[in-house]
Amino acid sequence: MSAADVITYIGVPLAVLGVLPILYTTVTTFLNLRLIRRLLNQNSTSALTRASFVSGFVELTFSRTALTPLDREDPAYWEPRPRQAQHNYLPIEAVETSSPSVSRLPGAGWTKLNWRTRVAGSKTYRIQRVEEVRTPQAEVDLGELVRFLVDRGAVVERRGWEVLRRAGMWTPAGTRLLTTKRVAGNETGASSSEGAVLTVAVPEDSDGVLSLQIRWDREWGKISEVENDQLAPGWTVIRSKRPVDVDLSETKAQLKLVADKTEDSTKTEGTPLSSEVDSTNDMNHVAEFRSFLDVQLAPWGITEARCRTIDTDRKINAYSSKVVDISHLDADTKSSYPSSDPTITPGLWASSAATALNGTSALSDPSPLWPHTVSSVLAQLSGKVCIPVGVLVILDLLPAKSAPSWELSVEPDANRDWSTRASKMQEELEEDRAIDRLPIAQQAAARQAKQIRKTRNVHNDMLQKQEEKRLHQERRAKEALSSTKWASKAVAETCATWLAGGLQKEHQVLPQGSLPRDAVENVMWNSIMREEDSEKNSSEHLAAEVAAILQLWQGWADHGGLTRGDLDTIRSKKEIFAYAACVLAVVGSFAGSPAEKTGEDVRECVRNWPIVRVG
């Protein structure tokens, strides 16, 4: 066999066999490229695609998206992202102007909700199989993300944030940070993925940034429909127990119009509208209206307040709202609330009380108020024991039989006065007999001298009794100031009972059986709302007086107790003192509670990772 034959029968086939892998790689890459583009198109995702037919790699360049929640007034804020029609391959710059639709690709869980988006860079992947396609995670402010999801109905998972704060980037993937309300209230527990709204994700391309994953079911969007009684994040509600007068003329006119329509409908169709008939039957219903005070909290105090009035029976759809002036709470002066400033201002105690009321309420979820906490000054003050039990007794806030033994001084004996008076009467009788034995000319002068002595003795006895009573009160006050001291919680319970008329009905300002939190709601309401008809109950004066008592309370804690002058001050402002005690008790019950601890964990995580990546 010649050399030409070797080349023809051996070399050429070998050369063809050497080209076949290249041809296979080219065909496979071309098919993968078509499948990848089809997958991107099906998920409404834009990317620049480039293929190397020799190496078999496909390069995908995505835009990295930065997310910002929409305005709460935007209807799209409450709706899941709609599924858009498939589009052709959009250029990478189109992501900024055309918001992507729902995508099932890994890393695109955030597309199930509506966001305001912008381009924040790009990310390139080199893949060989269609199963490796994934979109880059989006960047978002962690605080805004939590606030948005909580507003949509999610609940803070306490254990998850505690683990994240301690473990940081080593937090196990799948750790739940936010869950749905139905899972949060389930005592039997759930798996790490069931009902999870926000979880820790595997940090595949996070580049050292915390990686999270959003899991959102379209059905969950129904748990937070926009209603009149739904508050935005950072808002809490103060409830009033007082009935409110509302003009029902307009409401009754609307019901009369409904009745006319119902009558026309009955004549034409023969079938009345049951709901409208029920509404017409409510025209003579005397509704119980109740007011709610919605307050917006900021780290430096209360920034806004609105008063809502609704029908609690829901039989008449009457609703009104008005903005309340809170300038007397100096809420717009941020410099008034540094964390190290020991000064207690009206805005400081009001914002702390509002936060504590929401955090300790069984009717509301504290998750929306995680950015806010109570003042450290009030929290520390609530834990100090500085009010003697004897002071509560001598101020008639506590019955003596309900207090432990503390009084050593003995009250002047009334029997001793009767014995002294009896001996004096006997002396007067003997003196009268002696005067009768005197000559008649001397009797008149003797009786006049006796009357003078008697008048002088009565005056001296009165002065002596007053001095004895004064000395007894002084000794009793000293013993009261040095008696056993009670914690703020016990003092608040005593004051709440007194405010509810437990001892004196004439001082009753709260319903029977009220708790300290009821007293705090009452003083919050009166401190924020302006009582124009009564200068005595002015909200400006009340808020300032409560702050002044709390400032005095801080002095009592720092200097070892009360003085005689402080006792007189409390006596003149007994009701204000009772309110201040209840405020400290409510703040103290929230400080150190699981809700406050969880809020601290969330705030610390937000400070550590202000920007996270979500998929």
Side-chain angles (χ1 to χ4, degrees):
M1 178 180 293
S2 63
D5 293 336
V6 173
I7 294 174
T8 302
Y9 297 107
I10 298 177
V12 173
L14 289 177
V16 173
L17 290 176
V19 175
L20 284 179
I22 299 177
L23 295 177
Y24 174 80
T25 302
T26 301
V27 174
T28 304
T29 303
F30 178 76
L31 295 177
N32 285 337
L33 181 60
R34 286 181 58 87
L35 292 175
I36 290 173
R37 287 181 173 178
R38 179 181 299 177
L39 180 62
L40 295 176
N41 190 33
Q42 291 175 350
N43 289 276
S44 302
T45 304
S46 301
L48 291 178
T49 58
R50 295 182 298 271
S52 174
F53 295 99
V54 176
S55 62
F57 283 96
V58 177
E59 287 190 357
L60 301 177
T61 302
F62 296 91
S63 292
R64 188 179 294 279
T65 307
L67 306 177
T68 303
L70 299 175
D71 295 333
R72 199 170 187 267
E73 295 75 14
D74 192 337
Y77 180 92
W78 302 99
E79 298 295 332
R81 189 186 296 275
R83 299 185 183 276
Q84 299 178 357
Q86 298 180 6
H87 54 73
N88 295 328
Y89 316 115
L90 297 176
I92 191 171
E93 293 81 3
V95 179
E96 185 173 4
T97 57
S98 177
S99 182
S101 182
V102 177
S103 174
R104 299 187 182 91
L105 296 177
W110 58 270
T111 60
K112 296 180 181 180
L113 299 172
N114 290 306
W115 305 86
R116 184 181 293 111
T117 62
R118 62 178 178 85
V119 175
S122 61
K123 177 68 176 180
T124 301
Y125 296 97
R126 299 181 74 244
I127 62 176
Q128 288 183 305
R129 298 187 303 272
V130 67
E131 293 81 5
E132 299 176 0
V133 176
R134 62 174 292 113
T135 58
Q137 294 177 316
E139 295 182 351
V140 64
D141 183 276
L142 180 56
E144 293 182 353
L145 174 64
V146 175
R147 191 177 295 108
F148 170 57
L149 295 179
V150 167
D151 194 23
R152 291 298 305 271
V155 179
V156 171
E157 183 73 15
R158 296 179 178 177
R159 178 60 179 169
W161 289 100
E162 181 181 359
V163 173
L164 178 61
R165 181 181 182 182
R166 293 181 178 179
M169 297 297 295
W170 289 270
T171 303
T175 301
R176 296 187 300 181
L177 302 180
L178 299 177
T179 60
T180 60
K181 291 183 178 179
R182 63 195 71 176
V183 174
N186 185 9
E187 298 296 337
T188 60
S191 63
S192 60
S193 60
E194 181 184 356
V197 176
L198 185 66
T199 61
V200 178
V202 178
E204 295 182 353
D205 66 336
S206 59
D207 302 328
V209 181
L210 181 63
S211 180
L212 305 177
Q213 182 179 2
I214 296 178
R215 297 173 178 174
W216 190 263
D217 193 327
R218 295 177 65 88
E219 295 296 326
W220 294 348
K222 299 180 180 179
I223 62 180
S224 289
E225 297 177 356
V226 181
E227 298 177 353
N228 288 335
D229 55 354
Q230 181 176 357
L231 299 178
W235 288 74
T236 186
V237 60
I238 305 298
R239 296 172 176 84
S240 173
K241 301 182 181 300
R242 299 182 300 175
V244 180
D245 296 330
V246 178
D247 186 9
L248 300 180
S249 58
E250 182 179 354
T251 303
K252 291 185 177 181
Q254 295 176 356
L255 294 176
K256 184 66 171 63
L257 181 61
V258 171
D260 297 338
K261 291 182 179 180
T262 305
E263 183 178 359
D264 296 340
S265 175
T266 304
K267 293 180 179 179
T268 57
E269 301 178 4
T271 303
L273 300 177
S274 58
S275 61
E276 294 179 350
V277 171
D278 293 339
S279 299
T280 58
N281 292 334
D282 293 331
M283 293 180 60
N284 297 325
H285 167 67
V286 180
E288 180 186 355
F289 290 90
R290 183 164 295 176
S291 286
F292 299 89
L293 188 63
D294 301 333
V295 295
Q296 184 181 25
L297 300 177
W300 54 88
I302 297 177
T303 57
E304 186 178 352
R306 295 178 179 272
C307 182
R308 289 183 294 130
T309 302
I310 62 174
D311 175 17
T312 55
D313 294 339
R314 302 291 184 181
K315 294 185 177 181
I316 298 179
N317 187 19
Y319 174 85
S320 63
S321 176
K322 66 176 181 179
V323 178
V324 180
D325 182 16
I326 57 172
S327 59
H328 57 288
L329 297 180
D330 56 16
D332 57 344
T333 309
K334 302 181 182 180
S335 59
S336 299
Y337 301 92
S339 58
S340 59
D341 190 356
T343 304
I344 300 176
T345 61
L348 181 65
W349 77 258
S351 61
S352 298
T355 303
L357 283 174
N358 182 274
T360 57
S361 175
L363 302 177
S364 58
D365 175 34
S367 298
L369 291 183
W370 63 264
H372 312 286
T373 186
V374 296
S375 166
S376 59
V377 176
L378 292 178
Q380 295 175 4
L381 184 59
S382 64
K384 296 182 179 180
V385 180
C386 57
I387 302 299
V389 63
V391 172
L392 302 178
V393 175
I394 64 177
L395 292 179
D396 297 328
L397 295 174
L398 179 67
K401 60 181 180 181
S402 301
S405 178
W406 60 273
E407 190 173 2
L408 300 177
S409 59
V410 180
E411 189 175 0
D413 190 5
N415 295 327
R416 187 185 61 182
D417 295 339
W418 281 109
S419 60
T420 303
R421 184 178 300 179
S423 62
K424 288 183 178 180
M425 291 177 62
Q426 184 66 29
E427 292 177 358
E428 289 179 0
L429 183 60
E430 294 177 356
E431 187 175 1
D432 289 340
R433 292 174 181 174
I435 293 175
D436 292 338
R437 290 193 295 269
L438 293 175
I440 298 177
Q442 299 177 0
Q443 289 182 2
R447 287 191 176 91
Q448 183 178 4
K450 173 193 170 184
Q451 185 64 31
I452 293 174
R453 289 194 304 272
K454 182 178 180 180
T455 303
R456 186 183 301 111
N457 292 335
V458 170
H459 178 71
N460 293 335
D461 291 343
M462 183 182 65
L463 293 179
Q464 182 180 0
K465 290 180 180 179
Q466 290 180 351
E467 181 64 17
E468 290 178 354
K469 184 178 181 180
R470 186 187 66 80
L471 293 176
H472 172 69
Q473 291 178 349
E474 288 292 338
R475 290 192 299 269
R476 192 165 184 259
K478 292 180 179 179
E479 293 170 358
L481 293 175
S482 60
S483 60
T484 304
K485 297 178 180 180
W486 274 9
S488 58
K489 180 180 179 181
V491 176
E493 292 174 352
T494 300
C495 292
T497 302
W498 180 80
L499 291 172
L503 298 180
Q504 298 173 337
K505 297 295 183 181
E506 60 271 15
H507 296 296
Q508 183 177 3
V509 295
L510 294 176
Q512 288 288 345
S514 296
L515 301 176
R517 63 173 295 106
D518 299 323
V520 175
E521 283 190 335
N522 188 61
V523 71
M524 282 286 298
W525 180 278
N526 295 331
S527 296
I528 296 177
M529 296 293 292
R530 293 179 178 272
E531 302 291 343
E532 298 178 356
D533 298 335
S534 178
E535 182 178 357
K536 179 180 178 180
N537 295 326
S538 172
S539 60
E540 299 181 12
H541 296 165
L542 180 59
E545 287 179 348
V546 173
I549 291 295
L550 290 174
Q551 192 68 46
L552 285 176
W553 203 307
Q554 186 178 20
W556 303 334
D558 294 340
H559 300 94
L562 287 73
T563 63
R564 188 67 175 84
D566 296 330
L567 187 60
D568 296 335
T569 301
I570 298 176
R571 194 189 306 275
S572 62
K573 298 182 179 181
K574 195 186 303 185
E575 183 176 339
I576 305 299
F577 171 80
Y579 281 135
C582 293
V583 168
L584 281 183
V586 172
V587 171
S589 64
F590 176 76
S593 65
E596 197 273 341
K597 179 63 168 58
T598 302
E600 179 61 30
D601 291 338
V602 178
R603 289 189 295 272
E604 184 66 23
C605 293
V606 170
R607 284 192 293 266
N608 293 337
W609 298 283
I611 301 297
V612 297
R613 291 180 178 174
V614 295

